[in-house]
Amino acid sequence: SELYLQAYGGTKPPFTTDPTRLEAEAERVLDPGPFHYVAGDAGSGATTRANREAFDRWGIVPRMLTDATERELSTTVLGQTLPAPVVLAPVGVQSIVHTEAERATARAAAGLGLPMVLSTASSTSIEDAAAASGDGPRWFQLYWPNDPDVCGSILARARASGYTVLVVTLDTWSLGWRPCDLDNGYLPFLKAEGTAVPFSDPVFRSRLDASPEEDQAMAVLRWISMITGTDRGWDALPFLREHWDGPIVLKGIQHVDDARLAADAGVDGIVVSNHGGRQVDGAVAALDVLPEIATAVGDRLEVLFDSGVRTGADVVKALALGAKAVLLGRPYVYGLALGGEDGVRHVVRSLLADLDLTLGLSGRRSVRGLGPEVLVRR
Ligand code: FNR
């Protein structure tokens, strides 16, 4: 409503409030390498397109005369009360789009009271990002190093810095086939900006033959080799439980059997996600597997969702199909590129305002208790 009041007064927002135009606006301010790294996806882009098409196949059926004048966006996720069912997804190397990088995102998220998930591939150290987020809720995303001491050290630092929820990303034990980045010769991870978390870690540094300053490329490769490859299975999860005393969430779940294995393993939540279409080309749309997964395990753990969320209607659809909350990826990164902390805030506030209006005009008062009866399949 504040956005509307501004518009009634003739004031324009800093940049578009239309999520379908954000990418084009960000392209104008970014160099091709960083822009395509953020916008890009695996292979032919089929998974990214599928993510959007899946949302378009569902329609919201509005109800009338329900008195939805006052709406309630707040909800409880993993024991935390959040002002809205929206979390800022882990996105690495944010320094490639803005000098304030994860610090700006952390401040914007904290200002809105929404969790930011700090990536292991962050260009800001765990401690600096935590300081920037102040009293804001913070979650930590793990790319799981195969060296248990390095892993334990990173998790201990995250806990000491006030990160409460551990999000373990399972779908990126190797980077997907990304022709665009290959063609641009642009992979940010081979630069120090993508490695602040291990580089600031004393145990990781003790594993290096030379200091990272002396041989940065070797140090980065050493790190990449630690998080690449997958010789562990579901029986490795107790290690994480031993090193983390808060909720553990597995990100990248797409098969209902994996969702069941996650529940059997006793984790607290999963993120149904295909990494925004960046890993497996031709993968199933994340939204298409959400209902079956939510039905199978929704009473045993919390089901979160990402991949393709752009609008308030998308949030309503994901919640109606069984998600407790959604994670937002690229849109806020475009906001960061376009306006730093204020840009992130503008994108997320616009999404929340859109969600609030869409919910109300659909005749629903609360994000809690939305179910499939809200939707029809086109
Ligand atoms: C990501 N994502 C990601 N995920 C993760 O677990 N750790 C990470 O470091 C990153 N890094 C990353 C960088 C960039 C540039 C993008 C666009 C994405 C995936 C992210 O958390 C999320 O799953 C998707 O972005 C969600 O899809 P949408 O909202 O971008 O469509």
Side-chain angles (χ1 to χ4, degrees):
S1 60
E2 216 176 294
L3 286 163
Y4 268 90
L5 285 178
Q6 284 168 4
Y8 284 130
T11 308
K12 284 190 184 178
F15 54 88
T16 185
T17 49
D18 176 354
T20 65
R21 284 171 49 204
L22 263 181
E23 184 173 302
E25 292 202 9
E27 185 168 16
R28 273 190 248 130
V29 300
L30 290 173
D31 288 336
F35 170 73
H36 289 292
Y37 180 72
V38 175
D41 31 41
S44 67
T47 307
T48 307
R49 288 193 298 279
N51 284 337
R52 287 302 315 154
E53 287 159 11
F55 278 102
D56 291 341
R57 279 195 296 272
W58 291 100
I60 298 169
V61 190
R63 299 295 307 272
M64 297 299 131
L65 298 174
T66 60
D67 187 9
T69 324
E70 301 287 333
R71 272 89 59 188
E72 183 58 83
L73 297 191
S74 122
T75 190
T76 307
V77 180
L78 298 160
Q80 303 179 2
T81 303
L82 304 181
V86 176
V87 173
L88 277 70
V91 168
V93 292
Q94 293 185 20
S95 62
I96 67 174
V97 304
H98 195 276
T99 49
E100 278 299 291
E102 288 83 1
R103 289 181 297 281
T105 303
R107 286 193 289 265
L112 294 163
L114 299 175
M116 166 192 180
V117 192
L118 185 75
S119 165
T120 308
S122 164
S123 38
T124 307
S125 77
I126 295 171
E127 293 75 12
D128 289 351
S133 80
D135 295 335
R138 38 189 183 267
W139 300 5
F140 183 74
Q141 177 264 324
L142 183 70
Y143 282 134
W144 193 344
N146 60 17
D147 181 321
D149 297 334
V150 172
C151 186
S153 174
I154 288 174
L155 293 181
R157 286 169 58 206
R159 272 202 326 274
S161 295
Y163 289 82
T164 53
V165 173
L166 179 65
V167 178
V168 185
T169 301
L170 301 178
D171 59 17
T172 311
W173 51 269
S174 168
L175 215 54
W177 175 247
R178 307 207 184 144
C180 208
D181 299 330
L182 294 170
D183 292 353
N184 285 330
Y186 188 83
L187 282 171
F189 300 105
L190 271 186
K191 303 188 178 70
E193 63 206 2
T195 34
V197 171
F199 270 44
S200 59
D201 191 78
V203 180
F204 173 71
R205 292 174 78 106
S206 75
R207 295 291 191 267
L208 301 173
D209 303 326
S211 75
E213 290 74 21
E214 265 170 56
D215 201 340
Q216 188 179 300
M218 283 304 293
V220 174
L221 285 174
R222 184 71 190 271
W223 169 246
I224 290 176
S225 75
M226 272 192 197
I227 56 168
T228 303
T230 171
D231 52 2
R232 56 171 93 80
W234 291 90
D235 57 353
L237 289 173
F239 174 89
L240 296 176
R241 195 50 94 190
E242 278 160 35
H243 288 80
W244 191 263
D245 49 20
I248 296 177
V249 175
L250 303 181
K251 177 170 180 279
I253 300 295
Q254 294 157 81
H255 197 294
V256 68
D257 289 348
D258 284 347
R260 288 198 184 95
L261 287 164
D264 293 346
V267 298
D268 305 279
I270 55 175
V271 186
V272 175
S273 163
N274 58 29
H275 213 100
R278 297 165 72 81
Q279 286 299 94
V280 178
D281 189 24
V284 65
L287 195 74
D288 281 342
V289 293
L290 175 62
E292 186 187 9
I293 290 177
T295 304
V297 299
D299 56 346
R300 300 171 69 195
L301 46 68
E302 292 201 4
V303 178
L304 311 183
F305 174 87
D306 80 24
S307 297
V309 173
R310 297 292 174 269
T311 65
D314 296 342
V315 181
V316 169
K317 292 176 187 180
L319 298 185
L321 294 173
K324 200 78 195 287
V326 302
L327 282 66
L328 184 70
R330 291 180 189 84
Y332 86 77
V333 186
Y334 298 139
L336 178 64
L338 286 160
E341 177 187 344
D342 290 344
V344 175
R345 185 180 307 115
H346 173 63
V347 168
V348 180
R349 276 182 71 220
S350 299
L351 175 70
L352 298 184
D354 178 9
L355 168 61
D356 180 46
L357 274 178
T358 303
L359 190 71
L361 292 172
S362 303
R364 271 79 186 190
R365 253 178 282 178
S366 171
V367 293
R368 278 175 284 195
L370 294 176
E373 72 285 350
V374 173
L375 307 177
V376 292
R377 185 123 175 131
R378 291 200 229 272

